[in-house]
């Protein structure tokens, strides 16, 4: 029998329990995969607590990204064979030793990328891809501000943004995290616990401010993030680790410089097979060429998923975290 982390009632990390599950055989267009590594992300916390509602309700197996090996093919599956290494970032239910899922959600892992790297980077790396290349296409000369610079997306984002020619400013909450972010592409990193990040951005930019602010923190950084933007700059809110942004009047964006604001999510950027392949391909390219290095800073056994969540919420982690089945 396969094993999976299950949630029967929303709550804290202890709401997750390991159980045996019957995976079953793959149906038409599906494959059964054996996971070799599973990514941990803040979106998993949102589903565990009930902030985000699972499409099929409870009980729920959390997790959105993983890597593994194809073990069995259903009917009408093209482009995959048993033994292929594959990864994904768009199907809830990853916290398991095995699962059946739609083949169209999977991409092959290329040579030069390990299973652990793929599991650690698919959701975070494709998030960085759409933020940098499509939500606000970053070009040489742009100045960007990214909150939570030492997080999983942040360390990928910093390297990629620097490669694109931007001046990259980040925020982090400790000396260790600041140094980590600086080692991953950030030109300037502000300690949000001891410094006012708006004042620091003004000083760093000579009062010119930023072209774009990328904010996955939410309540704690809003609305101050808006004061870091140039006129007609863009505020990109793509998460809410400190809680949701309170209701805001559209007039606020006019008053602060005719600002643009968007609330993107990865799943709308990889909605078609072509978009998924393009996004994943761009990510694999920057990793294979060494532009972006994926460093896995925490590993937990699948059975210890609760501890992984506790550490993530307690801001005790940096970079990427994986579960090992």
């Amino acid at each position: 029998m396969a094993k999976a982390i299950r949630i029967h009632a929303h709550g804290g990390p202890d709401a997750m329990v390991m159980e045996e599950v019957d995976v079953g055989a793959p149906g038409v267009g599906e494959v059964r995969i054996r996971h070799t590594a599973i990514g941990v992300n803040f979106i998993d916390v949102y589903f565990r607590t009930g902030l985000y509602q699972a499409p099929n309700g409870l009980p729920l197996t959390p997790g959105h990204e993983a890597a593994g090996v194809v073990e069995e093919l259903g009917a009408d599956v093209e482009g995959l064979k048993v033994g292929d290494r594959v990864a994904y970032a768009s199907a809830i239910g990853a916290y398991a030793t095995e699962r059946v899922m739609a083949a169209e959600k999977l991409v092959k892992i290329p040579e030069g990328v390990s299973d652990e790297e793929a599991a650690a980077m698919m959701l975070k790396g494709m998030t960085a891809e759409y933020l940098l290349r499509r939500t606000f296409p970053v070009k040489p000369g742009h100045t960007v501000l990214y909150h939570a610079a030492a997080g999983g997306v942040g360390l990928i984002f910093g390297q990629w943004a620097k490669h694109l020619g931007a001046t990259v400013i980040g925020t982090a909450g400790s000396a260790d995290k600041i140094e980590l972010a600086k080692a991953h592409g950030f030109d300037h990193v502000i300690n949000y616990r001891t410094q006012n990040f708006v004042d620091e951005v003004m000083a760093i930019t000579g009062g010119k401010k930023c072209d774009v602010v990328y904010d996955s923190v939410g309540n704690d950084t809003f609305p101050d993030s808006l004061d870091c933007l140039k006129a007609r700059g863009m505020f990109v809110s793509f998460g809410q680790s400190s809680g949701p942004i309170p209701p805001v009047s559209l007039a606020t964006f006019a008053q602060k410089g005719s600002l643009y604001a968007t609330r993107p999510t990865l799943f709308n950027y990889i909605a078609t097979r072509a978009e998924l392949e393009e996004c994943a391909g761009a990510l694999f390219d920057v990793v294979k060429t060494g532009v972006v290095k994926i460093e896995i800073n925490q590993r937990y056994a699948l059975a210890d998923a609760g501890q992984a969540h506790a550490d993530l919420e307690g801001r005790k982690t940096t970079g990427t975290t994986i579960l090992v089945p």
Side-chain angles (χ1 to χ4, degrees), residues 168-255:
V168 194
I169 305 171
T171 65
S174 70
D176 289 347
K177 289 185 176 182
I178 288 171
E179 291 308 310
L180 183 64
K182 286 182 176 179
H184 289 78
F186 285 88
D187 298 291
H188 311 274
V189 186
I190 301 161
N191 189 329
Y192 66 82
R193 297 187 189 277
T194 61
Q195 298 172 293
N196 181 295
F197 70 79
V198 177
D199 292 343
E200 294 300 315
V201 165
M202 291 293 285
I204 290 166
T205 63
K208 295 181 179 180
K209 304 185 182 181
C210 300
D211 298 281
V212 57
V213 173
Y214 296 99
D215 190 347
S216 66
V217 176
N219 183 68
D220 287 357
T221 48
F222 189 86
D224 290 348
S225 288
L226 304 184
D227 294 325
C228 297
L229 284 166
K230 298 176 180 178
R232 301 189 304 279
M234 179 175 283
F235 174 65
V236 182
S237 171
F238 68 102
Q240 49 195 38
S241 61
S242 69
I245 290 173
V248 58
S249 169
L250 284 175
T252 300
F253 298 100
Q255 294 161 2

Side-chain angles (χ1 to χ4, degrees), residues 1-6 18-24 32-35 95-100 302:
M1 291 283 284
K3 293 183 178 180
I5 297 294
R6 303 258 278 175
M18 178 87 89
E19 298 178 347
E20 291 190 341
V21 294
D22 182 9
V23 173
R32 177 171 59 87
I33 62 174
R34 172 178 52 83
H35 285 147
Y95 287 17
T97 57
E98 298 180 27
R99 73 177 301 184
V100 168
L302 178 59

Side-chain angles (χ1 to χ4, degrees), residues 85-152:
R85 295 191 307 130
V86 292
Y88 63 89
S90 59
I92 195 167
Y95 287 17
T97 57
E98 298 180 27
R99 73 177 301 184
V100 168
M101 63 180 295
E104 66 179 10
K105 300 292 187 182
L106 297 166
V107 294
K108 290 184 181 180
I109 303 172
E111 291 297 322
V113 177
S114 72
D115 287 16
E116 286 197 348
E117 286 176 322
M121 76 180 185
M122 290 301 293
L123 191 147
K124 291 174 279 289
M126 290 199 296
T127 296
E129 188 278 336
Y130 84 73
L131 291 174
L132 286 164
R133 299 176 75 237
R134 290 185 282 168
T135 301
F136 181 96
V138 171
K139 306 293 184 184
H142 281 150
T143 300
V144 308
L145 172 64
Y146 183 96
H147 290 299

